[in-house]
Amino acid sequence: MRSIEQLTEEILSLPNASRVILADKLVESLEFDTDSTIQSIWITEAKKRRDEVRDGSVQVIPGDQALAQVRGMIEP
């Protein structure tokens, strides 16, 4: 059996499209202790956002830049 480190190394060497598919499958496999209606709404929203990124209808920004923008809005 391969270790987590070996699997991680192998997975990270996959093309981006394959890693996205794998990430989707991993997230879907997680068990959530939330209301099924809420979970369904969030899954729909997450897939909608993913699709918007993929089709280019939204522009992504780096996480540190996004956090800086949010901090700028809430900090005096």
Side-chain angles (χ1 to χ4, degrees), residues 34-58:
T34 59
D35 180 281
S36 62
T37 303
I38 294 170
Q39 181 179 354
S40 177
I41 292 168
W42 274 115
I43 289 172
T44 300
E45 180 65 20
K47 287 180 178 180
K48 180 184 90 113
R49 292 179 187 194
R50 176 202 61 198
D51 293 342
E52 290 171 342
V53 170
R54 286 181 178 171
D55 70 21
S57 62
V58 297

Side-chain angles (χ1 to χ4, degrees), residues 17-30 32 43 46-47 50-51 54:
S18 296
R19 292 195 334 245
V20 167
I21 292 167
L22 181 58
D24 285 343
K25 290 184 181 296
L26 286 171
V27 169
E28 288 175 5
S29 74
L30 297 174
F32 295 97
I43 289 172
K47 287 180 178 180
R50 176 202 61 198
D51 293 342
R54 286 181 178 171

